[in-house]
Amino acid sequence: MSLRGKPEKGIINGVAVPMEDYGTISTNSGDDKVNFIREDELQLTSEDEHTIKSERMISSDDEGPAPHDNVGKYDPTLDKGSYFRDGKRKIDFVLVYEDKVEKPEKKKTADPADKKRKLSEDERKEIWRQKFLKNLKKAGLDMEEEVVQGEKKMIFYIKLSAPWDVLCVYAEDLSMRAPLQAHPNPSSNWSGKILETLRIPNIMDQEVPNTPLDYYTCTFKRSKLDRFLGNENHDTYFSSTQRSRVVWEILSTSAYGKRKRAEIGIERLLEEGVYEAAFPLHDGPYEKPKHYVSDECLNPRQILQEYWARWGKWYKYQPLDHIRDYFGEKIGIYFAWLGFYTAWLLPSSIVGLLVFMYGLFSMGANTPANELCDPSNDFMMCPRCDEHIGCQYWNLSDVCLYTKIGYLFDHPGTVFYAVFMSFWAVTFLEYWKRKNASLAHHWDCLEFEEEEERPRPQYTVLCPTYEKNPITGIKEPYFPERDRLPRIISGAAAIIIMIVLVLIFIIAVIMYRVLVSIPLFQSKAFRPRAEMIASMTSAVVNLILIMVLSKVYEKLAYKLTQWEMHRTQTEFEDQLTFKVFIFQFVNFYSSIFYIGFFKGRFVGYPGHYNTLFGLRNEECNQAGCLVELAQQLGVIMIGKQVINNAQEILVPKLKAWLHQRKLGSGKNVEKARWEEDYELIENEGLFQEYLEMVLQFGFITIFVAAFPLAPLFALMNNWIEIRLDAQKFVTETRRPVAERAQDIGVWFSILDGLAQLAVISNAFLIAFTSEFLPRLLYKYQYNWDLTGYTNFTLAFSPNGTMRHECRYRDFRDKDGKYTMFFWHLIAIRLAFVIVFEHVVFGICRLIDVLVPDVPEVLELKIKRERYLAKQALADTDAIMVLARRDEEEPEDKNGQDTLQVPQDPV
């Protein structure tokens, strides 16, 4: 969405205001230059002042919100459901705990004189709650209690609010960013520019109301409060995400017992069951009001539902600024990455579809397939299993259909596509780094670094000793490294055992495929489709095993990572991510690697067949293993996507139904805001979302040479995935605590590793699995139109090894020895792998050098804003003069606004 001229209205810290209030932005009608005007230089007419007052819609009394009209803007102070009973103090967080309803005669009371009596579980929790709430009051939080009584339990809601002074203290302590000067944020995107150049209407563009403004910012300082925008309005100066982040910091650091025992923080209280939930409130309901109101009057949650989470918006750009403003930078970065990745899938899907269509239209010119299907060429093939168990000889023409289908996935176009996707993966990651840098700067987290993290609650409670922290100088729980090492080794051993278990299941699937294919080949009716049926059914069985093992291992990996005693949450998440990904990599990809690189390599020849558990090793079909690899990849990838999407649709609804049933709440009963949010399910974070997308990235890059349609299926899945995730975050889960982040973390390193592996994998698939090089060598040495190629690839069974002379697929002579063609082919295959890898890696390295991680325009902007921020804290007038001088300079040589920040498609 491009911004032309002056933005008439925007959002400043959650409040919609005209730009004249704070920025003081005006534009010349003939160009895009932006001039900054001091507030005292504005000449407002009485009509302008009336418009500003009506747009603010600030109510000075507590009689309830004024009715919405079409001129007004959304004002959070009018949402009385998010405030204490006095209508003035905003609810920043809610703590919930439950208590059983007991009859008075059965309720036990503790005897104060009985000090030696052991406390019950309920009494211990009540003592912890009281001390925790007492410490929250000491920290400065206001609180108010609501009690909802049901038939079986009483639900207690503790509403928390942070006063202005507390917010200021913690905002400085947490190094929050504060606005100095509003400035325009013209956004641009590559798809919009292309469509504009081609003069095609951009249907993906949409105007989202109440767009948050962009600012020059610096670290918040209480001593410089008068220099920041909006400081006179204490009620709306801090956004709801900033307020909840402050309260979460207090909740995480407040003690509820003895600090020596590390009885600190809300997270451990939740684990102990002292509280059932702790969450910030959503900004009102997500449904639009039944009576008509303008979209500018909708609350932020309703805007996200209307312009993002609805299925009707599947083809629109995501409102990333709104997402970040409501959920925080960490979730905003995820959806920005997901949208960017989905947009990049579009060109790869189009190219993949064209490659597949080329194979479809050129199928008739496939000489080897035509020779194979010719009835006059009677090739009697050796049995696919031992003769003594009833396996019969068969004609090569029986697999005619299978061979023609195989050409769709194994033709010269797939070689080009493998090279294309290798470059695509590297270029995608390089341009994501640029996009990420622009977003991180735009969202004031480019140089964000975690503060010295506190130890995890589980870590603190289990540590046997205390040591002085070398950074803070404070004694804190410490787990000796010599005690952690055996745990890490044991965890690694458990991972190896699970991987071996996966490999055992893979062998079982292989044996299943062999045993199923034998009776199918014995039946003349099923013989033409025997390989396809055996391959498809085994792929389905393998998918079921994969999904079951995934659920088991994820729980095991979480327990193992906890047992390893990692000090901080960041260390814990990185180790958990590594464990889960390693296992899932083996779990999902092992069967595909087997078919692509090992199946049919160790079969032997008639009279000297190799066996596994008494069964002959599998051999590839006459069409090659690439078509079976495409089948396996399609079943696992598409099946996984269907199952995951079904889970994302059904599981949250089932959990919500069970939770509401447990609470015993009725649908027709009017509920307070905190009750409605408590009935939502807990937000489980982004780990599973990233894992699903990273595994998909591996499917479309590592094995793309075998399945050119993989990016197309990934694109369709991601269009659905974005809306499913959006609906989940907006309508089905409680609002998460807004977390800061400057990138996607360890996931980028995993993506980079997959991109490098994709180059090697595709090189070997083309060289050793595809028929591309054997056909190319045959063209060069024998016949350019491939006449006689089918007969050339079939060897004769050695004398005396079979009852009848038969053919089998290999480059061997009548004595079973490899021919010279085979050795020439091996040399060419190895040479191809080396050349392919060096060329692709070399060009990828060149792309890395030519595409800087941070755009040059952004680097200049960052340096300029740092300078302005320093001047701002010293002299407010100086920043106005410098900013005005900066904006009066001409545009850059390319004619682009230096304040442009790219926006994601989708």
Side-chain angles (χ1 to χ4, degrees), residues 6 19 23 38 84 96 103 191 283 293 325 379 446 747 813 831 833 836:
K6 179 178 77 172
M19 284 297 299
R38 291 181 54 185
F84 280 16
V96 185
K103 296 181 179 180
S191 59
D283 287 347
V293 295
D325 201 52
F379 300 107
L446 183 61
W747 295 109
D813 58 23
V833 170
F836 184 94

Side-chain angles (χ1 to χ4, degrees), residues 63-76:
E63 297 177 359
H68 287 296
D69 55 52
N70 295 333
V71 185
K73 291 287 186 178
Y74 170 72
D75 182 0

Side-chain angles (χ1 to χ4, degrees), residues 52 84 100 111 316 383 554 688 746 814 867:
I52 292 173
F84 280 16
K100 295 180 181 179
D111 185 1
K316 296 293 186 180
E554 285 176 13
Q688 289 296 332
V746 70
K814 289 191 175 183
Y867 179 67

Side-chain angles (χ1 to χ4, degrees), residues 64-338:
H68 287 296
D69 55 52
N70 295 333
V71 185
K73 291 287 186 178
Y74 170 72
D75 182 0
T77 60
L78 301 180
D79 182 14
K80 299 304 178 183
S82 299
Y83 286 78
F84 280 16
R85 298 189 194 101
D86 57 15
K88 297 179 180 179
R89 291 174 293 176
K90 181 174 175 58
I91 301 173
D92 299 317
F93 232 88
V94 177
L95 304 179
V96 185
Y97 68 95
E98 301 175 358
D99 194 8
K100 295 180 181 179
V101 177
E102 298 181 3
K103 296 181 179 180
E105 62 271 12
K106 291 186 177 181
K107 194 165 185 178
K108 298 179 181 179
T109 56
D111 185 1
D114 189 6
K115 296 182 179 180
K116 295 182 179 180
R117 185 181 64 85
K118 186 177 181 180
L119 295 175
S120 67
E121 183 74 11
D122 292 338
E123 291 172 338
R124 179 174 58 86
K125 290 180 178 180
E126 181 61 28
I127 292 174
W128 280 355
R129 271 195 292 265
Q130 295 302 324
K131 188 168 184 179
F132 186 65
L133 295 177
K134 182 179 179 181
N135 288 332
L136 293 182
K137 288 182 180 179
K138 287 183 180 179
L141 294 182
D142 295 333
M143 57 186 63
E144 191 173 76
E145 186 179 65
E146 299 284 348
V147 183
V148 177
Q149 184 167 353
E151 296 180 0
K152 297 181 179 180
K153 63 177 67 177
M154 297 176 63
I155 305 176
F156 297 83
Y157 298 90
I158 310 297
K159 299 177 288 185
L160 304 176
S161 177
W164 169 255
D165 293 338
V166 174
L167 291 170
C168 290
V169 170
Y170 278 89
E172 184 171 354
D173 183 57
L174 296 175
S175 300
M176 289 186 177
R177 307 285 293 185
L180 292 167
Q181 174 68 44
H183 68 77
N185 173 36
S187 57
S188 63
N189 56 79
W190 58 271
S191 59
K193 289 181 179 179
I194 293 175
L195 293 175
E196 185 178 0
T197 303
L198 298 176
R199 300 183 181 278
I200 300 175
N202 188 0
I203 62 173
M204 295 179 289
D205 193 16
Q206 64 173 339
E207 295 290 336
V208 184
N210 300 344
T211 301
L213 295 180
D214 200 8
Y215 304 100
Y216 293 112
T217 64
C218 68
T219 305
F220 180 83
K221 299 287 184 183
R222 283 179 293 168
S223 59
K224 302 290 184 178
L225 183 61
D226 59 326
R227 308 293 175 91
F228 298 116
L229 284 181
N231 63 81
E232 68 281 356
N233 192 341
H234 293 184
D235 293 333
T236 59
Y237 180 77
F238 292 103
S239 66
S240 59
T241 54
Q242 289 174 324
R243 297 176 67 98
S244 64
R245 195 180 300 154
V246 167
V247 176
W248 179 256
E249 179 69 17
I250 297 174
L251 291 172
S252 300
T253 55
S254 296
Y256 59 87
K258 295 182 179 180
R259 289 186 175 270
K260 291 183 178 180
R261 296 179 181 174
E263 294 175 340
I264 302 172
I266 185 63
E267 290 176 292
R268 191 176 169 200
L269 287 174
L270 291 171
E271 290 185 358
E272 295 285 348
V274 178
Y275 287 100
E276 297 294 330
F279 53 88
L281 288 180
H282 279 291
D283 287 347
Y286 66 86
E287 304 96 340
K288 288 185 68 174
K290 294 182 180 179
H291 58 279
Y292 173 76
V293 295
S294 64
D295 288 349
E296 288 78 7
C297 298
L298 300 177
N299 65 48
R301 191 183 183 194
Q302 291 168 336
I303 288 178
L304 288 176
Q305 169 65 15
E306 186 68 18
Y307 289 90
W308 179 46
R310 286 199 305 118
W311 287 105
K313 300 296 182 179
W314 66 269
Y315 60 95
K316 296 293 186 180
Y317 296 131
Q318 294 187 96
L320 295 179
D321 286 338
H322 292 76
I323 298 170
R324 172 255 182 172
D325 201 52
Y326 192 77
F327 291 112
E329 289 81 7
K330 188 172 184 178
I331 293 176
I333 286 286
Y334 164 72
F335 281 105
W337 175 81
L338 182 55

Side-chain angles (χ1 to χ4, degrees), residues 414-473:
T414 58
V415 179
F416 159 76
Y417 194 53
V419 177
F420 171 82
M421 287 301 295
S422 298
F423 292 149
W424 175 90
V426 175
T427 308
F428 159 69
L429 294 177
E430 288 301 319
Y431 275 91
W432 164 249
K433 286 191 285 188
R434 290 168 61 87
K435 171 66 176 177
N436 188 87
S438 299
L439 278 175
H441 169 262
H442 176 46
W443 291 344
D444 289 324
C445 55
L446 183 61
E447 296 180 348
F448 168 72
E449 293 181 357
E450 290 284 349
E451 301 292 329
E452 176 60 22
E453 289 188 82
R454 295 180 302 276
R456 298 175 61 248
Q458 298 89 345
Y459 177 86
T460 56
V461 72
L462 296 175
C463 285
T465 61
Y466 282 78
E467 295 287 343
K468 183 181 292 186
N469 188 311
I471 298 175
T472 62

